[in-house]
Amino acid sequence: MNNFFEVENVDFVVGGNTKVKNMSFSIEKEGDIVCLLGPSGIGKTTILRAIAGLEKIKNGHIKLKGKILSSEKINIEPENRNISLAFQENSLFPHYSVEKNILLGAEKNPDNKDKKVSFNEIVDLLDISKILNQYPHQISAGEAQRASLARSLLSKPDLLLLDEPLSNVDQSQKEDIQEKIKKLLAKLKITTIIVTHDSYEAFLLRY
Amino acid sequence: MTKKFNIWFALSFTISLFVCIPIITVFSSFFQNTSNYYEVLKDTFLIEYILNSLTLLILVLIFTFILGTGTAYLVSFFKFPLSDFFKWALILSFAVPPYIYAYSLTAFFDNYGTAFTILTNLLGEGEYNKIIPKFNGMFGAVLSMTFSLFAYVFILSRASFLYQSQNLIDLGKNLGFSRFKSFFKIILPAARPAIVAGLSLVAMETLAEFGAVDFFSINTLTTGIYNSWIAFDDLAFANRIASFLLLFIFSLFIIENLSRKKAKYHFNIKGGFKQKEKIKLKGTKSFFAFVFCFFVFFMSFIFPLSQMLYWTIKFPENLFDLQIVTLSLNTLYLALLSSVVLISFSLISNYGSRVTNNKTLNILSTMSISGYAIPGVILAVAFITFIAWFDNTIIKSLGFLSIKKIFFGSILGLVLVYFIRFYSLAFNGIKSGYEKINIAVDESAYMLGYSKRKTFLNIHVPFLRNSLLLIVILISLEIIRELPITLILRPFNFETFATTAYISASEDLLEAAAVPSLFLILIASIFIIIASKYILRDHNE
């Protein structure tokens, strides 16, 4: 049986140096949530970036829905993979309001009826209604992270990659948001890989 | 993924290589024969050229340091009458190029000049020519350049002073430092990289200056280059002098670059920054602060402006003789056309560097932006040398017709050399705008399905809009004031305000030079006032 997503015998490299060697893992079904847990500097972000197509790989291959995305010979451009990576740092477009930033996510897959989610639903879930009219430089790091997550969710990707998604969010809000994200991902059946060094978060979010 | 050879790399590489042509041409002069002029000059004037250039450089640096940091310190840390006005008024001096300042100085202090007229009107007839000081020669050139160029030091020092946190000032107070001691022990050292950067720009401009030194008949390396080309028709030797000057300028350029990099560390954008509260000066301190700033503002802007205005009113026939509309259109046409070309290509090369992140391209980009450090005379001569060589060795050997006419005495040639000269302004301006865009922004655009082209057009260009506007203004300002390149390469009968003023002044018709000079100052002032909105943006704005 074909796995929904698969990484097989891949060496992950950054700037020509191998960061993670001979790694294999797979996600069997669409909608599953997987956590990569480990201490800082071990190469978790490198793995996500390579899956997203932002770094090349050496050896092996990365497959999504039976199609090779990356190998030593094949390398599909990031914009042509239906994958979304929510970055740890602020990656909002600085000249657009938060609302416009999030709505750009909705433009990516407007016809995907399987994963129906509204803008308001995501805004409420992530508690960012108050900052919609603000610009990225006017909001806190935690708020920027949630806005970025909202944009990724609205883009309805085949595979969602979350890099320390709530690392800047207040502890008081964190658990509530974690629960809500988990429910939403389950409802939308968005396959997700979450990178975190927080074991509590890993166990809470995994499916 | 993004590090691969692609169309962006090819475009960036070609643009950067084109801008490097004059540097390669100048240094290749070492392998060419020169005329006897070299032997003559080597034994006679060469030492004088070098000594004059150095004297000019050292004196201008000392005076611009005093005026630039002095005024920047006063308007950044203190409140006194018109202190907010001086904040932007002092940069109006940029509207007066050194050669126009030189005309004003001579017009005012010369025998039977404006000073003589004023004294005669006030005190009746007398032998005033004997007591009115003369600002000719080296001293006149130093004054002209000082008042015209000090604003480089003013702008960069002020920006650095603004970024100094109140915490730093409080620290000085805590240590029991007097205001005087705080300035020399804390404020000045912390702003040192910015001041050095400002002084380096002054140094480059001083060494490159042609109009003022030519007017005062001072033999410098720059006029030497011009003379060896114009008088002795010896391009190879002109390039050889240029290569010596370039080596010197490159060392200044490296110092300036290193200082700029260090200066970044002082920009404490997030956390720990406490906005300064300006100290309100009272009594004599307030008076002296006002007098100092007013003196600098008056001497650098009001004095040359009013001298040119006075002569325009006194000799109105010059106003009617001059084709103001044609000159305005020519000047603005050159400025805007060059700005559009520069911005378009600089955007492409910047984006190319960003997406390819290729070491060769980065080195070539760094070399290519050094065009700004190369005096206009050198660039024009190097350009002519290169085209002549290309035409003689490549085009003719292939059996094609000569292409010289396309480049010499044409708008195309002029814009191409402006391009090389001001490429760094556009490239660095866009680069500093790009530094504010996190690379994750590009990557998240790719995640949203944006191609590189769409990311460039839909994300980068709109974000850089303000930077681009500022760059257009700065390039236009430079081109309006530019003299040697325009003088050498302009099409027949195509004049700008700068060339018209120069031609009149070189024919000893200073009164006739007043009208184009006045218009040049006024147009440049408008551009400066618009640009000041961006240049003088405070920390919290």
Side-chain angles (χ1 to χ4, degrees):
Chain A
M1 188 186 129
N2 276 339
N3 290 317
F4 180 79
F5 175 75
E6 139 183 324
V7 169
E8 201 171 292
N9 302 324
V10 174
D11 288 351
F12 292 95
V13 290
V14 180
N17 301 320
T18 304
K19 186 96 180 177
V20 181
K21 214 167 161 53
N22 199 26
M23 185 181 198
S24 299
F25 71 94
S26 61
I27 300 173
E28 199 181 320
K29 294 197 307 287
E30 184 175 13
D32 281 358
I33 300 173
V34 171
C35 279
L36 294 180
L37 178 67
S40 300
I42 202 170
K44 304 186 296 293
T45 300
T46 306
I47 295 168
L48 286 197
R49 288 176 60 81
I51 295 170
L54 297 169
E55 303 288 349
K56 279 183 179 169
I57 60 164
K58 252 207 279 182
N59 303 325
H61 66 253
I62 298 172
K63 263 188 188 174
L64 179 68
K65 291 166 116 178
K67 186 181 165 190
I68 293 182
L69 300 179
S70 299
S71 71
E72 279 205 281
K73 288 181 183 166
I74 299 168
N75 193 29
I76 296 192
E77 296 286 329
E79 59 268 31
N80 297 329
R81 308 173 177 209
N82 191 18
I83 292 177
S84 185
L85 169 61
F87 294 86
Q88 194 175 351
E89 70 264 46
N90 186 349
S91 61
L92 297 173
F93 302 135
H95 54 304
Y96 290 142
S97 67
V98 170
E99 182 175 14
K100 171 82 177 164
N101 259 288
I102 297 170
L103 284 171
L104 285 174
E107 289 174 12
K108 190 179 181 186
N109 280 314
D111 303 327
N112 191 341
K113 285 170 187 159
D114 298 339
K115 298 179 168 65
K116 211 168 183 184
V117 62
S118 76
F119 170 80
N120 290 336
E121 191 179 350
I122 286 184
V123 165
D124 288 343
L125 182 143
L126 293 167
D127 193 21
I128 47 177
S129 56
K130 285 178 189 162
I131 58 162
L132 289 177
N133 292 324
Q134 310 227 35
Y135 281 82
H137 70 275
Q138 296 171 311
I139 60 178
S140 71
E143 287 168 333
Q145 210 168 25
R146 279 182 280 151
S148 181
L149 183 57
R151 187 173 64 184
S152 294
L153 286 167
L154 261 188
S155 71
K156 293 175 271 187
D158 287 333
L159 180 65
L160 176 64
L161 308 171
L162 303 178
D163 188 5
E164 307 272 3
L166 303 173
S167 58
N168 291 317
V169 175
D170 287 347
Q171 198 58 41
S172 57
Q173 286 179 301
K174 217 172 191 173
E175 276 186 34
D176 183 39
I177 293 175
Q178 280 165 341
E179 280 295 338
K180 286 177 178 170
I181 289 175
K182 191 176 174 181
K183 279 181 193 162
L184 186 74
L185 291 175
K187 179 186 153 191
L188 296 174
K189 278 199 156 190
I190 295 178
T191 313
T192 308
I193 301 174
I194 301 168
V195 148
T196 180
H197 64 269
D198 179 348
S199 52
Y200 181 75
E201 189 171 82
F203 282 105
L204 194 76
L205 284 172
R206 77 174 177 25
Y207 202 51
Chain B
M1 166 63 240
T2 51
K3 295 164 193 167
K4 66 174 193 180
F5 188 90
N6 57 20
I7 184 71
W8 293 103
F9 176 86
L11 285 170
S12 304
F13 189 85
T14 312
I15 295 166
S16 303
L17 193 63
F18 170 74
V19 183
C20 286
I21 284 174
I23 303 167
I24 298 163
T25 310
V26 164
F27 285 106
S28 68
S29 66
F30 277 104
F31 307 103
Q32 291 167 3
N33 293 328
T34 64
S35 68
N36 290 336
Y37 179 55
Y38 174 66
E39 294 304 322
V40 176
L41 192 76
K42 200 176 67 178
D43 300 330
T44 52
F45 295 113
L46 194 59
I47 297 293
E48 186 195 334
Y49 284 5
I50 294 170
L51 284 179
N52 278 345
S53 293
L54 279 177
T55 311
L56 200 61
L57 180 69
I58 292 165
L59 290 175
V60 172
L61 284 179
I62 292 170
F63 288 128
T64 48
F65 169 75
I66 295 168
L67 298 188
T69 50
T71 48
Y73 172 65
L74 289 172
V75 300
S76 306
F77 288 89
F78 304 102
K79 263 189 177 295
F80 52 90
L82 297 184
S83 56
D84 282 339
F85 166 75
F86 289 130
K87 189 171 88 175
W88 68 267
L90 284 165
I91 62 169
L92 282 172
S93 60
F94 270 136
V96 186
Y99 54 90
I100 289 184
Y101 200 92
Y103 306 159
S104 312
L105 213 53
T106 305
F108 191 83
F109 291 104
D110 216 9
N111 285 342
Y112 305 104
T114 311
F116 179 86
T117 311
I118 292 171
L119 288 176
T120 308
N121 286 341
L122 287 175
L123 309 169
E125 301 225 344
E127 296 282 311
Y128 303 122
N129 284 328
K130 288 179 184 166
I131 54 164
I132 293 170
K134 301 288 175 286
F135 294 103
N136 294 324
M138 179 62 79
F139 193 47
V142 169
L143 279 186
S144 303
M145 284 188 222
T146 299
F147 282 112
S148 186
L149 303 175
F150 85 94
Y152 282 116
V153 184
F154 170 76
I155 289 176
L156 290 171
S157 313
R158 183 182 169 272
S160 178
F161 290 153
L162 274 176
Y163 279 104
Q164 287 185 13
S165 165
Q166 179 66 34
N167 297 340
L168 204 64
I169 317 296
D170 291 344
L171 181 73
K173 284 183 189 165
N174 240 347
L175 294 169
F177 287 6
S178 66
R179 204 173 285 165
F180 185 75
K181 199 173 175 185
S182 279
F183 177 71
F184 284 102
K185 291 277 179 189
I186 298 174
I187 295 164
L188 212 50
R192 193 194 61 82
I195 295 169
V196 173
L199 288 173
S200 305
L201 288 171
V202 170
M204 286 187 237
E205 292 276 349
T206 305
L207 289 171
E209 177 56 28
F210 170 74
V213 287
D214 182 59
F215 180 73
F216 285 122
S217 304
I218 302 168
N219 289 323
T220 63
L221 287 168
T222 309
T223 53
I225 294 163
Y226 189 74
N227 290 337
S228 53
W229 175 57
I230 293 284
F232 294 89
D233 197 22
D234 189 348
L235 271 179
F237 183 59
N239 281 318
R240 198 174 283 190
I241 306 180
S243 58
F244 284 117
L245 187 55
L246 270 189
L247 281 177
F248 189 63
I249 288 173
F250 278 167
S251 32
L252 286 170
F253 185 70
I254 291 164
I255 294 170
E256 189 266 342
N257 247 352
L258 290 174
S259 303
R260 217 174 256 272
K261 272 179 193 158
K262 282 179 192 167
K264 277 185 188 167
Y265 297 123
H266 297 273
F267 292 177
N268 192 356
I269 304 297
K270 277 187 178 174
F273 187 89
K274 193 176 160 195
Q275 195 71 27
K276 272 190 301 294
E277 283 173 22
K278 286 187 185 175
I279 299 162
K280 195 170 181 181
L281 293 179
K282 286 175 187 167
T284 48
K285 283 180 182 171
S286 167
F287 175 74
F288 283 120
F290 169 79
V291 167
F292 182 63
C293 288
F294 184 76
F295 167 74
V296 178
F297 170 60
F298 182 87
M299 286 305 294
S300 63
F301 185 70
I302 299 292
F303 165 67
L305 177 73
S306 44
Q307 176 60 52
M308 293 302 144
L309 190 63
Y310 169 68
W311 265 3
T312 304
I313 295 166
K314 195 176 173 190
F315 304 102
E317 62 276 15
N318 292 323
L319 184 63
F320 304 119
D321 288 347
L322 205 64
Q323 292 176 307
I324 303 290
V325 177
T326 311
L327 288 180
S328 304
L329 288 177
N330 286 354
T331 305
L332 292 175
Y333 170 64
L334 278 182
L336 294 178
L337 178 67
S338 309
S339 302
V340 170
V341 174
L342 271 160
I343 284 199
S344 310
F345 285 98
S346 304
L347 266 172
I348 292 170
S349 56
N350 256 294
Y351 187 66
S353 293
R354 184 177 172 98
V355 294
T356 55
N357 198 19
N358 180 287
K359 275 184 189 165
T360 315
L361 191 57
N362 287 342
I363 293 169
L364 201 61
S365 299
T366 310
M367 270 180 76
S368 64
I369 58 170
S370 55
Y372 193 64
I374 307 175
V377 173
I378 299 182
L379 280 184
V381 171
F383 179 75
I384 290 169
T385 312
F386 175 77
I387 295 293
W389 169 82
F390 189 75
D391 194 64
N392 290 334
T393 54
I394 312 260
I395 299 293
K396 281 186 183 162
S397 66
L398 291 173
F400 294 119
L401 290 173
S402 170
I403 56 159
K404 278 183 196 168
K405 279 186 184 168
I406 303 172
F407 296 101
F408 295 169
S410 72
I411 295 288
L412 176 67
L414 199 52
V415 171
L416 285 177
V417 181
Y418 283 156
F419 183 86
I420 298 167
R421 172 86 167 101
F422 301 120
Y423 180 69
S424 80
L425 261 185
F427 185 88
N428 278 339
I430 293 170
K431 192 178 171 190
S432 65
Y434 259 126
E435 278 166 4
K436 293 176 195 153
I437 310 177
N438 193 333
I439 198 75
V441 167
D442 293 28
E443 293 175 346
S444 51
Y446 303 148
M447 293 297 104
L448 291 172
Y450 283 32
S451 64
K452 289 189 176 61
R453 188 172 151 274
K454 194 175 174 189
T455 305
F456 175 64
L457 293 174
N458 290 23
I459 306 297
H460 294 170
V461 174
F463 177 77
L464 295 169
R465 203 178 47 212
N466 278 351
S467 302
L468 298 182
L469 183 65
L470 175 63
I471 295 164
V472 169
I473 295 167
L474 293 180
I475 292 170
S476 302
L477 193 57
E478 289 281 0
I479 290 175
I480 291 167
R481 294 156 29 114
E482 208 290 324
L483 182 60
I485 295 173
T486 324
L487 205 58
I488 295 170
L489 290 169
R490 73 194 191 285
F492 180 68
N493 259 349
F494 183 94
E495 303 295 345
T496 63
F497 285 121
T499 57
T500 312
Y502 173 81
I503 291 166
S504 298
S506 60
E507 289 168 357
D508 275 337
L509 297 169
L510 271 188
E511 312 89 88
V515 184
S517 300
L518 178 70
F519 275 89
L520 191 153
I521 294 173
L522 291 176
I523 294 177
S525 300
I526 294 169
F527 278 91
I528 290 170
I529 290 167
I530 302 169
S532 66
K533 187 184 156 201
Y534 300 95
I535 295 171
L536 299 175
R537 198 173 285 180
D538 281 347
H539 184 272
N540 55 346
E541 283 175 307

